[in-house]
Amino acid sequence: MEDHYNSKLVIKLNEIILIQIYKIMVLIRKFEEKIIELYSEQEMRCPVHLCIGHEAIPAGVCENLNKGDVVFSNHRSHGHYIAKGGDIKRMLAEIYGKVTGCSKGRGGSMHLIDLSANFLASTPIVGGTIPLAAGAALASKMQNKSNVSVAFFGDAAVEEGTLHETLNFASLHKLPVLFVCENNLYSTQTHINERQPAREIVKVAEGHGIKAFRGDGNNAIEVYETAKNAIEHIKSGNGPVFLEFLTYRFREHCGPNEDVSLGYRTKEEILEWTKKDPIKKLGNKLLDDKIATNEELEKIEHDTGIQIEQAVSFAKESQFPKKDSMDKNVYSE
Amino acid sequence: MTKLREITYAEAIAEAISQSMEKDPSVFIIGEGVPDPKAIFGTTKGLVEKYGSDRVLDMPVSENALTGVCIGTALRGMRPIMVHQRLDFVLLAMDQIVNNSAKWHYMFGGQTSVPFVVRAVIGMGWGQGAQHSQNIQAIFTHIPGLKVVMPATPYDAKGLLISSIQDNNPVIFIEHRWLHHIRGHVPTEMYNVPIGKAEIIKDGKDITIASTSYMTIEALNATKVLEEAGVSAEIIDIRTLKPLDDSMIIDSVKKTGRLLAVDSGYYTGGFAGEIIARISEKAFEYLKVPPQRITLPDIPSPSTPALTKYYYPRHIDIIQKVCQMTGKPTSQITHLIELERKKEPQHLDVPNKEFTGPF
């Protein structure tokens, strides 16, 4: 694999973009660390699937998107929502079940939406939104629009029929859709080797006639560059692209805790991946290349912290939905 | 007076789609065989020639993902119509229909809608057996957020399909294969038959027959004989299973005191049971005799005509049940039933004597 940290491309990369990606990654991390801090209060009464360790992928991919581009996501969606520009106050309020939540308290962490950012939805049925992203792309084609549609999903979605069916259809119709597979090796507690044969995931997409690339999902610059090329390919009318990014989930499948005690993965494996922490990696790069100073990075953390505290206040102070709203919106008028 | 125009149920469907596509450029249709020469029993005839392959799409045999694709287009302002030649194939798409389309509007707080029509064909006979003619409409009525319509006449087929296409919710539009050839008056212009309204298609005073889809035709055939026998049956064609207009059934039962629910689905957990439950809850005191139902037995459809003749309830079964419920001695109508039996095809696996198969 090409080392993007040493490639000449990096030098040309706009420093502002790198700082922006870093800010988004810190925002995702700090947002979820706040969930970890407050979850035991038992006020966030819904499942949470934290993406700590994955941040480079949503941040790196979405930095390439325009506002008009649309994103669909899965159960591990906080990062995608934030990176596409979703309102964190309304996301946190949603996790708290408040009427000010992005889904008015009907969705919880697993059903996020921010139409103003064109984050069209996340849902937790594995593979469930992949065809929706292709459908949004088909609509764009029918309406002569130029936007792309992005589907984020995990490695387990490769085991679902919807993925294969959608790849077949998207390839057939050359749809403007980007498939982004975050391979973190585990589906809940089951390793990919227990679930899939020893074949590369990108070969599945290639088998459907789709261009596919594999990259280091903990290397934000590599994610950014790979997605940039993919989106240019799609926007030139060449049809879909499939990207697989290798990454690792630092926390348990669902919930705020570490889970080494469960024994399904080793302490050594976790440590090995912790060394590859995507935020530290990009932070060091920014310092080494003198793109940012320590003080500047600390300021990013500080400002992010304030932003998150404001979201916490907003979420906690917001009202719950009223009883008489329960039967509203079963049907659309 | 000029004669009213008559067309078939299948032609009425094709006309509803064509006029909807002409009026609204966001409407498109997709399904296995939609643009092919057989045109889904004629129900999509002429569409690809008129609107082109960008709006009249064939599709890979990927029911679930393509349902998701339709939902995705609906979220971006399109109005997809998806067609399944057999309702059995819809089962492959239940994940997307149930998990996504049905509750999308609710679970995101009413911010987005999924205007989406799923046309599905049910049927009976001609050896289609256990996997090509299941009448499991009741499954869809159990899902909050779905609408389920089952028109019985060409007029309602056109009007209800236009309403379904214009509705901002997922609508399961179920057609019985034995209705496609039926002729009836259908106006040439666009018109709506409202979703959620049943219709009294025959007045009567002795018993209320609440029926769905093709069983409404069997009920009509039954009442012709019953009239001769001096029994006056009122037929309510349910038309929309969900949301169910039970007020019309309640009012009718208040008048007749008897309820027979006739549905082409299975016995346990079927829609006939839902009708009886509603009336038992809301109008029990008006019932003179226990409400009854006519359904398929809890048995998968056999293929051979040797067994299907005992399997599918027909108008004679309705006649006999009504006589039982109204206290009419069956002996008084034996001769009428004998006459009816003589009119039937040799095998009871076709809609009429002219039909030579296959479906």
Side-chain angles (χ1 to χ4, degrees), chain A residues 17 20-21 24 28 55-67 69-73 77-86 117-119 150 152 178 180 182 220 223-224 227-228 231 245:
Chain A
I17 290 175
Q20 183 55 25
I21 292 172
I24 296 293
I28 297 168
E55 296 91 341
I57 303 168
V61 171
C62 292
E63 190 57 28
N64 288 292
L65 300 178
N66 298 324
K67 195 166 181 187
D69 297 325
V70 304
V71 164
F72 287 89
S73 168
S77 60
H78 301 160
H80 309 132
Y81 177 97
I82 289 173
K84 188 62 179 67
N118 273 323
F119 181 85
V150 182
F152 286 102
L178 176 65
V180 182
E182 298 180 359
V223 172
Y224 174 81
K228 189 178 191 337
I231 289 163
F245 291 115

mmCIF file of all heavy atoms in Angstrom, chain A residues 17 20-21 24 28 55-67 69-73 77-86 117-119 150 152 178 180 182 220 223-224 227-228 231 245:
data_model
loop_
_atom_site.group_PDB
_atom_site.id
_atom_site.type_symbol
_atom_site.label_atom_id
_atom_site.label_comp_id
_atom_site.label_asym_id
_atom_site.label_seq_id
_atom_site.Cartn_x
_atom_site.Cartn_y
_atom_site.Cartn_z
ATOM 1 N N ILE A 17 -7.830 22.166 4.667
ATOM 2 C CA ILE A 17 -8.625 20.939 4.625
ATOM 3 C C ILE A 17 -8.177 19.978 5.725
ATOM 4 O O ILE A 17 -8.996 19.383 6.427
ATOM 5 C CB ILE A 17 -8.529 20.288 3.229
ATOM 6 C CG1 ILE A 17 -9.276 21.140 2.197
ATOM 7 C CG2 ILE A 17 -9.079 18.857 3.244
ATOM 8 C CD1 ILE A 17 -9.145 20.655 0.765
ATOM 9 N N GLN A 20 -9.447 21.105 8.968
ATOM 10 C CA GLN A 20 -10.891 20.887 9.024
ATOM 11 C C GLN A 20 -11.200 19.413 9.333
ATOM 12 O O GLN A 20 -12.061 19.107 10.158
ATOM 13 C CB GLN A 20 -11.538 21.326 7.695
ATOM 14 C CG GLN A 20 -13.045 21.211 7.641
ATOM 15 C CD GLN A 20 -13.743 21.962 8.766
ATOM 16 O OE1 GLN A 20 -13.206 22.926 9.330
ATOM 17 N NE2 GLN A 20 -14.935 21.484 9.128
ATOM 18 N N ILE A 21 -10.504 18.519 8.667
ATOM 19 C CA ILE A 21 -10.703 17.088 8.931
ATOM 20 C C ILE A 21 -10.371 16.778 10.400
ATOM 21 O O ILE A 21 -11.106 16.065 11.083
ATOM 22 C CB ILE A 21 -9.835 16.225 7.974
ATOM 23 C CG1 ILE A 21 -10.350 16.348 6.526
ATOM 24 C CG2 ILE A 21 -9.816 14.762 8.412
ATOM 25 C CD1 ILE A 21 -9.452 15.686 5.477
ATOM 26 N N ILE A 24 -13.155 17.923 12.722
ATOM 27 C CA ILE A 24 -14.320 17.033 12.668
ATOM 28 C C ILE A 24 -14.030 15.753 13.468
ATOM 29 O O ILE A 24 -14.879 15.271 14.230
ATOM 30 C CB ILE A 24 -14.674 16.677 11.204
ATOM 31 C CG1 ILE A 24 -15.110 17.922 10.419
ATOM 32 C CG2 ILE A 24 -15.753 15.587 11.126
ATOM 33 C CD1 ILE A 24 -16.409 18.536 10.873
ATOM 34 N N ILE A 28 -16.102 14.415 16.691
ATOM 35 C CA ILE A 28 -16.721 13.082 16.794
ATOM 36 C C ILE A 28 -16.238 12.387 18.076
ATOM 37 O O ILE A 28 -17.027 11.864 18.869
ATOM 38 C CB ILE A 28 -16.392 12.217 15.556
ATOM 39 C CG1 ILE A 28 -16.974 12.844 14.278
ATOM 40 C CG2 ILE A 28 -16.920 10.801 15.737
ATOM 41 C CD1 ILE A 28 -16.457 12.217 12.975
ATOM 42 N N GLU A 55 -12.976 7.513 13.309
ATOM 43 C CA GLU A 55 -13.283 8.921 12.935
ATOM 44 C C GLU A 55 -12.714 9.377 11.594
ATOM 45 O O GLU A 55 -13.281 10.249 10.928
ATOM 46 C CB GLU A 55 -12.792 9.874 14.031
ATOM 47 C CG GLU A 55 -13.481 9.718 15.377
ATOM 48 C CD GLU A 55 -12.771 8.737 16.308
ATOM 49 O OE1 GLU A 55 -11.965 7.909 15.816
ATOM 50 O OE2 GLU A 55 -13.030 8.783 17.514
ATOM 51 N N ALA A 56 -11.564 8.826 11.215
ATOM 52 C CA ALA A 56 -10.922 9.296 9.979
ATOM 53 C C ALA A 56 -11.804 9.033 8.755
ATOM 54 O O ALA A 56 -11.740 9.772 7.765
ATOM 55 C CB ALA A 56 -9.575 8.614 9.801
ATOM 56 N N ILE A 57 -12.617 7.981 8.823
ATOM 57 C CA ILE A 57 -13.395 7.589 7.635
ATOM 58 C C ILE A 57 -14.521 8.592 7.358
ATOM 59 O O ILE A 57 -14.556 9.173 6.268
ATOM 60 C CB ILE A 57 -13.895 6.135 7.759
ATOM 61 C CG1 ILE A 57 -12.689 5.204 7.967
ATOM 62 C CG2 ILE A 57 -14.670 5.740 6.500
ATOM 63 C CD1 ILE A 57 -13.040 3.796 8.388
ATOM 64 N N PRO A 58 -15.436 8.825 8.321
ATOM 65 C CA PRO A 58 -16.457 9.835 8.024
ATOM 66 C C PRO A 58 -15.853 11.202 7.720
ATOM 67 O O PRO A 58 -16.294 11.879 6.777
ATOM 68 C CB PRO A 58 -17.318 9.871 9.294
ATOM 69 C CG PRO A 58 -16.586 9.099 10.332
ATOM 70 C CD PRO A 58 -15.658 8.176 9.623
ATOM 71 N N ALA A 59 -14.847 11.602 8.514
ATOM 72 C CA ALA A 59 -14.274 12.944 8.318
ATOM 73 C C ALA A 59 -13.582 13.051 6.956
ATOM 74 O O ALA A 59 -13.761 14.029 6.236
ATOM 75 C CB ALA A 59 -13.294 13.261 9.450
ATOM 76 N N GLY A 60 -12.814 12.032 6.611
ATOM 77 C CA GLY A 60 -12.061 12.068 5.350
ATOM 78 C C GLY A 60 -12.954 11.975 4.127
ATOM 79 O O GLY A 60 -12.720 12.647 3.126
ATOM 80 N N VAL A 61 -13.984 11.141 4.206
ATOM 81 C CA VAL A 61 -14.897 11.007 3.055
ATOM 82 C C VAL A 61 -15.738 12.275 2.902
ATOM 83 O O VAL A 61 -15.814 12.862 1.820
ATOM 84 C CB VAL A 61 -15.814 9.766 3.208
ATOM 85 C CG1 VAL A 61 -16.902 9.766 2.137
ATOM 86 C CG2 VAL A 61 -15.000 8.477 3.138
ATOM 87 N N CYS A 62 -16.371 12.698 3.994
ATOM 88 C CA CYS A 62 -17.353 13.788 3.890
ATOM 89 C C CYS A 62 -16.701 15.133 3.577
ATOM 90 O O CYS A 62 -17.373 16.031 3.072
ATOM 91 C CB CYS A 62 -18.190 13.872 5.165
ATOM 92 S SG CYS A 62 -19.276 12.454 5.361
ATOM 93 N N GLU A 63 -15.408 15.268 3.859
ATOM 94 C CA GLU A 63 -14.714 16.515 3.503
ATOM 95 C C GLU A 63 -14.764 16.738 1.986
ATOM 96 O O GLU A 63 -14.648 17.858 1.502
ATOM 97 C CB GLU A 63 -13.269 16.472 4.014
ATOM 98 C CG GLU A 63 -12.519 17.782 3.918
ATOM 99 C CD GLU A 63 -13.183 18.944 4.646
ATOM 100 O OE1 GLU A 63 -13.904 18.723 5.636
ATOM 101 O OE2 GLU A 63 -12.995 20.104 4.196
ATOM 102 N N ASN A 64 -14.969 15.669 1.241
ATOM 103 C CA ASN A 64 -15.058 15.769 -0.219
ATOM 104 C C ASN A 64 -16.462 16.072 -0.733
ATOM 105 O O ASN A 64 -16.653 16.217 -1.936
ATOM 106 C CB ASN A 64 -14.624 14.440 -0.851
ATOM 107 C CG ASN A 64 -13.132 14.224 -0.743
ATOM 108 O OD1 ASN A 64 -12.366 14.928 -1.378
ATOM 109 N ND2 ASN A 64 -12.719 13.271 0.080
ATOM 110 N N LEU A 65 -17.432 16.074 0.168
ATOM 111 C CA LEU A 65 -18.819 16.189 -0.293
ATOM 112 C C LEU A 65 -19.295 17.626 -0.284
ATOM 113 O O LEU A 65 -18.898 18.428 0.566
ATOM 114 C CB LEU A 65 -19.746 15.341 0.593
ATOM 115 C CG LEU A 65 -19.441 13.839 0.643
ATOM 116 C CD1 LEU A 65 -20.425 13.142 1.595
ATOM 117 C CD2 LEU A 65 -19.513 13.219 -0.739
ATOM 118 N N ASN A 66 -20.174 17.933 -1.221
ATOM 119 C CA ASN A 66 -20.868 19.212 -1.209
ATOM 120 C C ASN A 66 -22.127 19.060 -0.378
ATOM 121 O O ASN A 66 -22.568 17.941 -0.091
ATOM 122 C CB ASN A 66 -21.264 19.619 -2.629
ATOM 123 C CG ASN A 66 -20.045 19.811 -3.506
ATOM 124 O OD1 ASN A 66 -19.009 20.298 -3.027
ATOM 125 N ND2 ASN A 66 -20.149 19.430 -4.755
ATOM 126 N N LYS A 67 -22.725 20.195 -0.061
ATOM 127 C CA LYS A 67 -23.953 20.144 0.731
ATOM 128 C C LYS A 67 -25.038 19.345 0.010
ATOM 129 O O LYS A 67 -25.817 18.619 0.632
ATOM 130 C CB LYS A 67 -24.445 21.554 1.023
ATOM 131 C CG LYS A 67 -25.484 21.564 2.110
ATOM 132 C CD LYS A 67 -25.750 22.944 2.644
ATOM 133 C CE LYS A 67 -26.797 22.838 3.759
ATOM 134 N NZ LYS A 67 -27.228 24.144 4.226
ATOM 135 N N ASP A 69 -24.747 16.779 -1.833
ATOM 136 C CA ASP A 69 -24.525 15.328 -1.825
ATOM 137 C C ASP A 69 -25.234 14.730 -0.608
ATOM 138 O O ASP A 69 -25.334 15.377 0.430
ATOM 139 C CB ASP A 69 -23.024 15.027 -1.784
ATOM 140 C CG ASP A 69 -22.299 15.545 -3.022
ATOM 141 O OD1 ASP A 69 -22.898 15.507 -4.113
ATOM 142 O OD2 ASP A 69 -21.146 16.009 -2.890
ATOM 143 N N VAL A 70 -25.702 13.504 -0.763
ATOM 144 C CA VAL A 70 -26.504 12.918 0.318
ATOM 145 C C VAL A 70 -25.801 11.721 0.940
ATOM 146 O O VAL A 70 -25.030 11.025 0.281
ATOM 147 C CB VAL A 70 -27.915 12.512 -0.169
ATOM 148 C CG1 VAL A 70 -28.637 13.703 -0.793
ATOM 149 C CG2 VAL A 70 -27.859 11.353 -1.152
ATOM 150 N N VAL A 71 -26.081 11.512 2.217
ATOM 151 C CA VAL A 71 -25.432 10.427 2.961
ATOM 152 C C VAL A 71 -26.470 9.572 3.675
ATOM 153 O O VAL A 71 -27.424 10.090 4.257
ATOM 154 C CB VAL A 71 -24.421 11.006 3.988
ATOM 155 C CG1 VAL A 71 -24.021 9.965 5.025
ATOM 156 C CG2 VAL A 71 -23.179 11.548 3.283
ATOM 157 N N PHE A 72 -26.264 8.267 3.599
ATOM 158 C CA PHE A 72 -27.031 7.293 4.398
ATOM 159 C C PHE A 72 -26.041 6.527 5.274
ATOM 160 O O PHE A 72 -24.897 6.308 4.872
ATOM 161 C CB PHE A 72 -27.760 6.295 3.498
ATOM 162 C CG PHE A 72 -28.947 6.873 2.791
ATOM 163 C CD1 PHE A 72 -28.807 7.483 1.551
ATOM 164 C CD2 PHE A 72 -30.216 6.802 3.354
ATOM 165 C CE1 PHE A 72 -29.903 8.011 0.886
ATOM 166 C CE2 PHE A 72 -31.321 7.320 2.689
ATOM 167 C CZ PHE A 72 -31.169 7.926 1.460
ATOM 168 N N SER A 73 -26.510 6.113 6.429
ATOM 169 C CA SER A 73 -25.593 5.455 7.358
ATOM 170 C C SER A 73 -26.279 4.314 8.091
ATOM 171 O O SER A 73 -27.448 4.020 7.857
ATOM 172 C CB SER A 73 -25.060 6.527 8.322
ATOM 173 O OG SER A 73 -24.395 5.969 9.405
ATOM 174 N N SER A 77 -23.426 5.555 13.609
ATOM 175 C CA SER A 77 -23.625 6.668 12.674
ATOM 176 C C SER A 77 -23.280 8.050 13.193
ATOM 177 O O SER A 77 -23.352 9.019 12.446
ATOM 178 C CB SER A 77 -25.093 6.675 12.240
ATOM 179 O OG SER A 77 -25.910 6.848 13.385
ATOM 180 N N HIS A 78 -22.896 8.165 14.481
ATOM 181 C CA HIS A 78 -22.648 9.519 15.016
ATOM 182 C C HIS A 78 -21.604 10.256 14.175
ATOM 183 O O HIS A 78 -21.737 11.453 13.910
ATOM 184 C CB HIS A 78 -22.158 9.446 16.471
ATOM 185 C CG HIS A 78 -23.115 8.774 17.400
ATOM 186 N ND1 HIS A 78 -22.740 8.245 18.614
ATOM 187 C CD2 HIS A 78 -24.444 8.537 17.300
ATOM 188 C CE1 HIS A 78 -23.785 7.724 19.221
ATOM 189 N NE2 HIS A 78 -24.836 7.878 18.436
ATOM 190 N N GLY A 79 -20.565 9.536 13.788
ATOM 191 C CA GLY A 79 -19.480 10.156 13.019
ATOM 192 C C GLY A 79 -19.943 10.635 11.656
ATOM 193 O O GLY A 79 -19.567 11.723 11.203
ATOM 194 N N HIS A 80 -20.773 9.831 11.004
ATOM 195 C CA HIS A 80 -21.258 10.214 9.668
ATOM 196 C C HIS A 80 -22.154 11.449 9.747
ATOM 197 O O HIS A 80 -22.095 12.340 8.917
ATOM 198 C CB HIS A 80 -22.020 9.041 9.030
ATOM 199 C CG HIS A 80 -21.259 7.753 9.065
ATOM 200 N ND1 HIS A 80 -21.800 6.564 9.483
ATOM 201 C CD2 HIS A 80 -19.958 7.479 8.774
ATOM 202 C CE1 HIS A 80 -20.889 5.609 9.428
ATOM 203 N NE2 HIS A 80 -19.759 6.134 9.010
ATOM 204 N N TYR A 81 -22.997 11.449 10.768
ATOM 205 C CA TYR A 81 -23.919 12.579 10.984
ATOM 206 C C TYR A 81 -23.114 13.862 11.198
ATOM 207 O O TYR A 81 -23.393 14.897 10.582
ATOM 208 C CB TYR A 81 -24.791 12.256 12.196
ATOM 209 C CG TYR A 81 -25.763 13.330 12.635
ATOM 210 C CD1 TYR A 81 -27.092 13.295 12.235
ATOM 211 C CD2 TYR A 81 -25.353 14.354 13.489
ATOM 212 C CE1 TYR A 81 -27.993 14.258 12.670
ATOM 213 C CE2 TYR A 81 -26.246 15.323 13.922
ATOM 214 C CZ TYR A 81 -27.566 15.277 13.511
ATOM 215 O OH TYR A 81 -28.456 16.230 13.936
ATOM 216 N N ILE A 82 -22.115 13.784 12.066
ATOM 217 C CA ILE A 82 -21.312 14.979 12.374
ATOM 218 C C ILE A 82 -20.517 15.417 11.134
ATOM 219 O O ILE A 82 -20.498 16.593 10.770
ATOM 220 C CB ILE A 82 -20.367 14.708 13.567
ATOM 221 C CG1 ILE A 82 -21.184 14.609 14.865
ATOM 222 C CG2 ILE A 82 -19.294 15.791 13.678
ATOM 223 C CD1 ILE A 82 -20.381 14.168 16.090
ATOM 224 N N ALA A 83 -19.889 14.456 10.481
ATOM 225 C CA ALA A 83 -19.019 14.810 9.346
ATOM 226 C C ALA A 83 -19.817 15.401 8.182
ATOM 227 O O ALA A 83 -19.302 16.227 7.436
ATOM 228 C CB ALA A 83 -18.247 13.584 8.880
ATOM 229 N N LYS A 84 -21.083 15.011 8.036
ATOM 230 C CA LYS A 84 -21.893 15.573 6.946
ATOM 231 C C LYS A 84 -22.478 16.931 7.331
ATOM 232 O O LYS A 84 -23.134 17.575 6.531
ATOM 233 C CB LYS A 84 -23.019 14.591 6.553
ATOM 234 C CG LYS A 84 -23.803 14.991 5.288
ATOM 235 C CD LYS A 84 -22.920 15.049 4.044
ATOM 236 C CE LYS A 84 -23.596 15.403 2.755
ATOM 237 N NZ LYS A 84 -24.139 16.702 2.554
ATOM 238 N N GLY A 85 -22.226 17.340 8.571
ATOM 239 C CA GLY A 85 -22.700 18.669 8.966
ATOM 240 C C GLY A 85 -23.974 18.663 9.780
ATOM 241 O O GLY A 85 -24.639 19.688 9.920
ATOM 242 N N GLY A 86 -24.316 17.502 10.321
ATOM 243 C CA GLY A 86 -25.520 17.413 11.161
ATOM 244 C C GLY A 86 -25.354 18.229 12.445
ATOM 245 O O GLY A 86 -24.246 18.411 12.944
ATOM 246 N N ALA A 117 -28.651 19.204 6.269
ATOM 247 C CA ALA A 117 -27.276 18.839 5.891
ATOM 248 C C ALA A 117 -27.270 17.733 4.834
ATOM 249 O O ALA A 117 -26.208 17.245 4.451
ATOM 250 C CB ALA A 117 -26.508 18.372 7.127
ATOM 251 N N ASN A 118 -28.451 17.310 4.394
ATOM 252 C CA ASN A 118 -28.593 16.154 3.491
ATOM 253 C C ASN A 118 -27.992 14.878 4.066
ATOM 254 O O ASN A 118 -27.515 14.015 3.332
ATOM 255 C CB ASN A 118 -28.037 16.455 2.095
ATOM 256 C CG ASN A 118 -29.099 17.105 1.224
ATOM 257 O OD1 ASN A 118 -30.270 16.766 1.304
ATOM 258 N ND2 ASN A 118 -28.682 18.062 0.406
ATOM 259 N N PHE A 119 -28.036 14.790 5.389
ATOM 260 C CA PHE A 119 -27.795 13.500 6.028
ATOM 261 C C PHE A 119 -29.172 12.838 6.065
ATOM 262 O O PHE A 119 -30.009 13.142 6.905
ATOM 263 C CB PHE A 119 -27.227 13.682 7.441
ATOM 264 C CG PHE A 119 -26.943 12.365 8.116
ATOM 265 C CD1 PHE A 119 -25.741 11.699 7.899
ATOM 266 C CD2 PHE A 119 -27.879 11.776 8.961
ATOM 267 C CE1 PHE A 119 -25.483 10.478 8.499
ATOM 268 C CE2 PHE A 119 -27.623 10.555 9.562
ATOM 269 C CZ PHE A 119 -26.430 9.903 9.329
ATOM 270 N N VAL A 150 -23.948 8.707 -0.877
ATOM 271 C CA VAL A 150 -22.947 7.891 -0.178
ATOM 272 C C VAL A 150 -23.638 6.946 0.796
ATOM 273 O O VAL A 150 -24.528 7.361 1.540
ATOM 274 C CB VAL A 150 -21.939 8.774 0.598
ATOM 275 C CG1 VAL A 150 -20.875 7.912 1.279
ATOM 276 C CG2 VAL A 150 -21.292 9.803 -0.320
ATOM 277 N N PHE A 152 -22.636 4.542 3.938
ATOM 278 C CA PHE A 152 -21.653 4.034 4.904
ATOM 279 C C PHE A 152 -22.220 2.763 5.528
ATOM 280 O O PHE A 152 -23.384 2.724 5.925
ATOM 281 C CB PHE A 152 -21.418 5.055 6.020
ATOM 282 C CG PHE A 152 -20.595 6.253 5.624
ATOM 283 C CD1 PHE A 152 -21.205 7.474 5.350
ATOM 284 C CD2 PHE A 152 -19.207 6.164 5.542
ATOM 285 C CE1 PHE A 152 -20.449 8.587 4.995
ATOM 286 C CE2 PHE A 152 -18.441 7.272 5.196
ATOM 287 C CZ PHE A 152 -19.062 8.485 4.917
ATOM 288 N N LEU A 178 -21.467 6.227 -3.978
ATOM 289 C CA LEU A 178 -20.200 5.797 -3.376
ATOM 290 C C LEU A 178 -20.520 4.844 -2.214
ATOM 291 O O LEU A 178 -21.261 5.213 -1.298
ATOM 292 C CB LEU A 178 -19.413 7.006 -2.854
ATOM 293 C CG LEU A 178 -18.102 6.700 -2.114
ATOM 294 C CD1 LEU A 178 -17.065 6.065 -3.038
ATOM 295 C CD2 LEU A 178 -17.536 7.968 -1.471
ATOM 296 N N VAL A 180 -19.127 2.944 0.972
ATOM 297 C CA VAL A 180 -17.989 3.024 1.897
ATOM 298 C C VAL A 180 -18.135 1.962 2.977
ATOM 299 O O VAL A 180 -19.019 2.046 3.833
ATOM 300 C CB VAL A 180 -17.879 4.422 2.547
ATOM 301 C CG1 VAL A 180 -16.651 4.473 3.454
ATOM 302 C CG2 VAL A 180 -17.810 5.509 1.489
ATOM 303 N N GLU A 182 -16.695 0.279 6.191
ATOM 304 C CA GLU A 182 -15.770 0.434 7.311
ATOM 305 C C GLU A 182 -15.541 -0.948 7.897
ATOM 306 O O GLU A 182 -16.384 -1.482 8.600
ATOM 307 C CB GLU A 182 -16.375 1.363 8.370
ATOM 308 C CG GLU A 182 -16.625 2.757 7.839
ATOM 309 C CD GLU A 182 -17.232 3.693 8.877
ATOM 310 O OE1 GLU A 182 -17.482 3.260 10.024
ATOM 311 O OE2 GLU A 182 -17.456 4.864 8.532
ATOM 312 N N ALA A 220 -6.296 9.498 7.961
ATOM 313 C CA ALA A 220 -7.293 10.448 7.437
ATOM 314 C C ALA A 220 -6.907 10.975 6.059
ATOM 315 O O ALA A 220 -7.774 11.200 5.213
ATOM 316 C CB ALA A 220 -7.471 11.605 8.417
ATOM 317 N N VAL A 223 -7.678 8.346 3.501
ATOM 318 C CA VAL A 223 -9.135 8.278 3.293
ATOM 319 C C VAL A 223 -9.587 9.447 2.420
ATOM 320 O O VAL A 223 -10.312 9.261 1.429
ATOM 321 C CB VAL A 223 -9.892 8.317 4.650
ATOM 322 C CG1 VAL A 223 -11.404 8.442 4.415
ATOM 323 C CG2 VAL A 223 -9.587 7.079 5.480
ATOM 324 N N TYR A 224 -9.116 10.621 2.763
ATOM 325 C CA TYR A 224 -9.512 11.824 2.010
ATOM 326 C C TYR A 224 -9.135 11.693 0.534
ATOM 327 O O TYR A 224 -9.955 11.929 -0.351
ATOM 328 C CB TYR A 224 -8.853 13.065 2.632
ATOM 329 C CG TYR A 224 -9.092 14.321 1.823
ATOM 330 C CD1 TYR A 224 -10.285 15.029 1.945
ATOM 331 C CD2 TYR A 224 -8.131 14.785 0.925
ATOM 332 C CE1 TYR A 224 -10.519 16.162 1.182
ATOM 333 C CE2 TYR A 224 -8.354 15.923 0.159
ATOM 334 C CZ TYR A 224 -9.551 16.608 0.297
ATOM 335 O OH TYR A 224 -9.778 17.727 -0.459
ATOM 336 N N ALA A 227 -11.140 8.892 -1.306
ATOM 337 C CA ALA A 227 -12.534 9.297 -1.538
ATOM 338 C C ALA A 227 -12.608 10.400 -2.595
ATOM 339 O O ALA A 227 -13.538 10.430 -3.412
ATOM 340 C CB ALA A 227 -13.166 9.762 -0.227
ATOM 341 N N LYS A 228 -11.613 11.280 -2.569
ATOM 342 C CA LYS A 228 -11.587 12.382 -3.559
ATOM 343 C C LYS A 228 -11.549 11.809 -4.981
ATOM 344 O O LYS A 228 -12.345 12.192 -5.843
ATOM 345 C CB LYS A 228 -10.351 13.242 -3.302
ATOM 346 C CG LYS A 228 -10.278 14.532 -4.092
ATOM 347 C CD LYS A 228 -8.988 15.229 -3.635
ATOM 348 C CE LYS A 228 -8.763 16.628 -4.059
ATOM 349 N NZ LYS A 228 -9.345 17.216 -5.150
ATOM 350 N N ILE A 231 -14.889 10.095 -5.839
ATOM 351 C CA ILE A 231 -16.003 11.012 -6.116
ATOM 352 C C ILE A 231 -15.821 11.701 -7.467
ATOM 353 O O ILE A 231 -16.788 11.895 -8.207
ATOM 354 C CB ILE A 231 -16.189 12.004 -4.941
ATOM 355 C CG1 ILE A 231 -16.747 11.224 -3.739
ATOM 356 C CG2 ILE A 231 -17.119 13.152 -5.304
ATOM 357 C CD1 ILE A 231 -16.628 11.909 -2.428
ATOM 358 N N PHE A 245 -12.315 0.556 3.942
ATOM 359 C CA PHE A 245 -11.293 1.121 4.831
ATOM 360 C C PHE A 245 -11.150 0.235 6.059
ATOM 361 O O PHE A 245 -12.133 -0.057 6.748
ATOM 362 C CB PHE A 245 -11.672 2.544 5.248
ATOM 363 C CG PHE A 245 -11.595 3.539 4.115
ATOM 364 C CD1 PHE A 245 -12.745 4.164 3.652
ATOM 365 C CD2 PHE A 245 -10.377 3.831 3.511
ATOM 366 C CE1 PHE A 245 -12.667 5.079 2.600
ATOM 367 C CE2 PHE A 245 -10.297 4.742 2.464
ATOM 368 C CZ PHE A 245 -11.444 5.363 2.006
#
